[in-house]
Each structure stands twice: as structure tokens, then as C-alpha cells.
Amino acid sequence: MKRGILVYLAQGENDEEISYNLAELAELARNIDIEPQGFILQHRRPDPNYLLGAGKVEELKERVEKENIEAVVFNLELSPRQILNWEEKLGKKEIWDRTQVILEIFRRRAHSREGKIQVELARLTYLYPRMVGLGEVLSRLGGGIGTRGPGETKLEVLRRSVRSRIYRLRRELEEIRLNREVLRRRRIKNEIPVVALVGYTNAGKSTLLNALSLSENKVLTEDRLFATLDPVSRRIGLPSGRQVLLTDTVGFIHHMPARLKEAFKATLEELASADLLLHVIDLTSPYMERQVAAVEVILKELDLAHRPLLKVYNKADKFTGVVPLDGVVISALHGTNLPLLLERLEEELFPLTEAALRVPFTHLGELARARDRVEVVEERYTPQGVEVLLRGRQQDIETLKARLKEEGKK
Ligand SMILES: Nc1nc2c(ncn2[C@@H]2O[C@H](COP(=O)(O)OP(=O)(O)OP(=O)(O)O)[C@@H](O)[C@H]2O)c(=O)[nH]1
Ligand SMILES: [Mg+2]
């Protein structure tokens, strides 16, 4: 672990928000092997040269030297000029901002071709607009301030190659997306409902996927941020014996860098085709409400705010407080309450409806056979047959109707 220090420039947040953001920034830093030794906090407008005001700049420099700090992590995005100034000021220290830290975590976790493409795209689109400032730097190195120095042309070449790389990556992603679309269509044709896990990173989505999955092929779960990048799907069985697909994707975080959201669009688009979203929430997080709100913001941005959604409060084994009542409370790790969750899934995916039918006496056998799936609420005998009021899943009722017609034809 490298010794680090956090720098927090507050823009009107209150104390509670600041302490939450600082705790999360520290956690993000740990995920790239930087152990924060402390922090510097300032309330002010961002300074164009150092982000911080002059007094704090000196304070940071002193602390970096005194405390043997190797890496400085800023909460706000730094401009190229600010990065350069800090590098000059502090010598050979690592300078990070929150977006870079998140991008680095993603880079380390990306395994599949798609994941790698998405992360590279995010990094390049983050870099590209920043290259304008680089021209200034390149020119400064080559002399000639203010004139169109040699840095400008070098920069143009660089920018062009980055641009064409971005273009190629976007095209590759588009191809992957089309493939997905084909798979999706096939799935719809087979009528396997899809349930998608969403939630803050580290809430326990992958653990839940493993716990419910019928397959022995387990996915990675870890006490780390963004353990999952690549989407995976597994079949799960519902109490009625029906199967559905459960999909797991990248976790969310508040103030998710825009570039990352854009790059992971293909992954996130999968969510749009889900029949139901399972929002997994870490009950034990002191910041649970904030995390729920952050996920809801992202769902809204993805235009998913009005999709059917079930809240799942996880890690109940480690929780002693009062549990919320607007969802299912489970422990994915210990398997607690999973049968109840599956029942709720069944209800959500296959809601009960009622239908009135007339069954001719010759077809009572079909009705009897359907009784383990469909409940007969009322029956009335008439000369033409039995008039029944049925309650059951739409699909089962449709199947029964179809059978009655078939029988009628014979
Ligand atoms: N105590 C407890 N820990 C759990 C439970 N469910 C998951 N965890 C732990 O929480 C950590 C994160 O679990 P994951 O399943 O990897 O979380 P995730 O939501 O997939 O996280 P990302 O992929 O990073 O978004 C792991 O250390 C799990 O063992 C639970 O019910 N109880
Ligand atoms: Mg995961």
C-alpha cells in the first residue's frame, strides 16, 4: 500500500455529505492500493492553477513531505494545467482525481474483450478533451509560449490517433451490441423472463446471483468496489418450477463518471430489456439511504425509473436495526429468506389474474389437469357445461384456453 492523502474541495456540501464522500474516496483509493493517512478540506471556488487556495497548497506540500506521502487523491476532476502544476510542486508524487481512480479500478478489473474495450473507451474519452491543455504543455516544453509552437503539431497528430482509436472502439462495441440484440430477440421468442440485478457496488449482487443460481459455475464475489464488470446471466428456478434468467452487471456509485456511463451503455442497456429489476441494497452501510438515492438517480438517467422493481435488503445477518418494510430482507451469504424472495419474484413476474370460462362437460378432464396451476374460485353448472371463475397466472390460463379449443376441434 502506498501512503496517500485525500484532498477535498467542498462546493457547498454539508458536513454529513462531506464525511460520506471522504469515506468513499478513501475506499476508492484503497482499491488502487493507496492507504489514505488523512485529508485536507477546504471550502472555496476551485482555483484554476491548483484547485486549492494558496495557503492550502503550502499546507499540502508540507504534509506530503513530513508524512512521507506518495500519492495525492483529489475529490474533483483536475484540469491538465492543475495536474502539471501539482507535479511541479510536489516532485515525483502520484496525482490522482476521483474519476481517474475509478477508471483505474475498472481497468484492473476488466477481463472480457467487451469489458476491456469499454474501459479503454472511457479512458480515452476522458483524456481527449484534456489534450487541448496538453498542447500548452508540449509547446512550453518546446519553447515559444503564445505562438503556435511545435507542441501544437505534435498534439494534432496525437489527437488524431486518439480520435481514430475512439472511433474504432465505438464500432466494435456497436457490433457487440448488435450480437446482444440478436440474443435478446431469441430469448424473447423463448419467453424466458429476465430479472436484472442492480445496486450500489459491493451490495452483494453477485453473491445473490450465486445463491439463487441453479448452476455450479459461480461468479466472483469480493469485498472490493466494482468486483463485477462483465455482465453474466444464470438460470434460476421459481417455486412453481418455472425458470427465469437472472443477470448481474456492473455496480453503481454516486457521481458515476460520465465517460464510464457512456462506455458501459451497451452493458447497461441490457437492463432495459429486463422484465423486473432487483435493487440490491446493503442494509449494513451507514450510508444506505444515500446509496439507494444514487442508484435511483442512475436508473432515472437510464430511463428505467418506471420499470417494475423489487427492493432487496441484503446482509441482514450483520444488521441489528429496524428493517425497512418496502422490500424483501435477506442474507445472500447465508441464504436467509431466499424462498420468500423467489415467491415474490414469481408474483411480480407472473401476476395472478382472474378469468371466467365455460368448460363443456366433455372437457372436464382438461380442467382437472390444470388445477395444480390454476385455482377454481367459483363453479356453476349449466346445461352447456361448467361456468368457472379461475384465478392463476395469465400464461397458465391461456394454456388452458388453448387446450379447451384443441379438444373442441377433435
Ligand atoms: N455479511 C454478509 N456479507 C455479504 C452478504 N452478501 C454479500 N456479502 C459480502 O459483500 C461483499 C460484496 O459482495 P458482492 O456479491 O461481490 O457484491 P456486488 O454487489 O456484486 O459488488 P460489485 O460487483 O463490486 O458491484 C463480499 O465480501 C460478500 O461476501 C450477506 O448477506 N451478508
Ligand atoms: Mg458483483
Side-chain angles (χ1 to χ4, degrees):
M1 282 278 198
K2 277 173 249 162
R3 295 171 62 81
I5 188 165
L6 306 179
V7 178
Y8 195 103
L9 191 73
Q11 306 290 291
E13 303 94 302
N14 63 33
D15 288 353
E16 196 206 334
E17 282 165 328
I18 291 171
S19 74
Y20 169 71
N21 291 335
L22 268 173
E24 185 168 86
L25 191 60
E27 190 54 31
L28 286 165
R30 275 183 216 111
N31 274 268
I32 58 164
D33 304 315
I34 295 171
E35 184 61 55
Q37 309 296 314
F39 64 89
I40 282 184
L41 169 67
Q42 185 171 35
H43 294 262
R44 106 191 270 285
R45 266 180 308 105
D47 171 83
N49 289 312
Y50 287 98
L51 207 68
L52 297 176
K56 287 285 173 187
V57 170
E58 289 316 311
E59 184 186 331
L60 179 61
K61 185 176 160 61
E62 251 169 56
R63 282 188 65 177
V64 164
E65 280 162 13
K66 255 217 302 276
E67 297 174 31
N68 265 324
I69 298 298
E70 301 163 87
V72 185
V73 183
F74 291 83
N75 70 317
L76 296 182
E77 279 191 8
L78 295 169
S79 69
R81 198 207 301 189
Q82 288 164 339
I83 293 175
L84 187 82
N85 286 338
W86 275 113
E87 278 172 354
E88 273 174 7
K89 183 123 224 136
L90 299 177
K92 286 180 75 178
K93 308 293 174 194
E94 290 181 13
I95 309 293
W96 293 89
D97 64 30
R98 184 175 183 271
T99 298
Q100 287 174 334
V101 173
I102 293 177
L103 289 175
E104 174 62 15
I105 297 174
F106 272 63
R107 190 187 66 75
R108 293 185 184 193
R109 309 276 201 266
H111 297 297
S112 72
R113 191 172 79 94
E114 178 177 9
K116 285 185 176 149
I117 294 174
Q118 287 172 320
V119 172
E120 191 185 348
L121 184 60
R123 286 159 62 89
L124 290 180
T125 51
Y126 171 83
L127 182 70
Y128 186 71
R130 265 145 239 275
M131 292 177 84
V132 182
L134 258 177
E136 192 185 308
V137 176
L138 291 171
S139 293
R140 216 195 288 181
L141 296 175
I145 296 173
T147 59
R148 210 182 134 84
E152 289 298 320
T153 26
K154 225 183 261 170
L155 178 72
E156 238 340 282
V157 175
L158 255 174
R159 270 171 73 91
R160 211 172 312 130
S161 79
V162 168
R163 216 162 36 220
S164 72
R165 179 90 188 130
I166 288 177
Y167 176 74
R168 261 212 316 278
L169 291 173
R170 284 213 172 111
R171 254 199 358 217
E172 270 189 70
L173 273 183
E174 187 56 30
E175 230 168 80
I176 291 173
R177 240 181 67 192
L178 288 178
N179 281 338
R180 279 262 178 79
E181 188 59 37
V182 171
L183 287 179
R184 191 145 60 207
R185 292 244 176 79
R186 202 170 299 156
R187 214 161 55 202
I188 292 170
K189 234 172 63 195
N190 293 340
E191 285 184 83
I192 307 175
V194 176
V195 178
L197 294 163
V198 294
Y200 216 75
T201 174
N202 214 39
K205 298 178 293 299
S206 303
T207 308
L208 182 58
L209 181 81
N210 284 339
L212 294 177
S213 165
L214 298 171
S215 148
E216 287 303 307
N217 187 2
K218 300 301 181 200
V219 302
L220 172 83
T221 66
E222 260 181 308
D223 193 9
R224 295 207 294 187
L225 301 182
F226 303 112
T228 307
L229 284 196
D230 301 321
V232 280
S233 301
R234 293 280 185 273
R235 273 169 194 273
I236 65 169
L238 297 182
S240 64
R242 288 190 183 83
Q243 293 194 356
V244 298
L245 268 190
L246 186 63
T247 68
D248 181 19
T249 47
V250 57
F252 297 168
I253 192 165
H254 88 284
H255 291 144
M256 189 108 151
R259 304 296 161 199
L260 217 48
K261 272 188 289 197
E262 194 216 296
F264 277 78
K265 224 169 122 193
T267 303
L268 296 172
E269 266 177 4
E270 281 284 285
L271 298 175
S273 69
D275 298 280
L276 177 69
L277 302 176
L278 273 194
H279 180 175
V280 182
I281 299 160
D282 181 354
L283 258 181
T284 65
S285 165
Y287 309 112
M288 184 183 86
E289 271 143 38
R290 253 165 225 291
Q291 298 184 340
V292 169
V295 170
E296 284 169 353
V297 165
I298 295 175
L299 289 178
K300 201 181 240 170
E301 287 170 358
L302 294 170
D303 221 10
L304 297 172
H306 300 292
R307 301 307 301 273
L309 181 142
L310 181 60
K311 282 185 179 170
V312 179
Y313 293 95
N314 189 28
K315 309 198 186 181
D317 56 293
K318 255 179 45 188
F319 182 72
T320 48
V322 181
V323 296
L325 297 172
D326 62 339
V328 187
V329 180
I330 64 157
S331 165
L333 197 62
H334 298 280
T336 318
N337 257 357
L338 296 188
L340 181 71
L341 174 61
L342 290 173
E343 250 167 58
R344 287 295 310 274
L345 281 182
E346 183 118 45
E347 281 169 24
E348 295 285 335
L349 290 170
F350 306 101
L352 292 175
T353 58
E354 292 193 346
L357 284 187
R358 187 194 297 141
V359 185
F361 292 115
T362 47
H363 295 67
L364 284 178
E366 282 301 331
L367 183 60
R369 236 164 288 156
R371 272 187 193 245
D372 59 336
R373 292 215 157 184
V374 179
E375 183 193 353
V376 178
V377 186
E378 278 172 30
E379 47 189 349
R380 207 161 61 86
Y381 285 77
T382 70
Q384 290 79 28
V386 190
E387 286 179 0
V388 288
L389 180 65
L390 301 174
R391 183 184 298 140
R393 317 275 176 219
Q394 189 69 41
Q395 204 187 338
D396 293 328
I397 290 175
E398 291 304 323
T399 310
L400 176 61
K401 278 188 188 164
R403 289 247 170 84
L404 292 177
K405 271 202 197 116
E406 289 279 302
E407 281 288 308
K409 274 187 213 146
K410 276 183 201 164

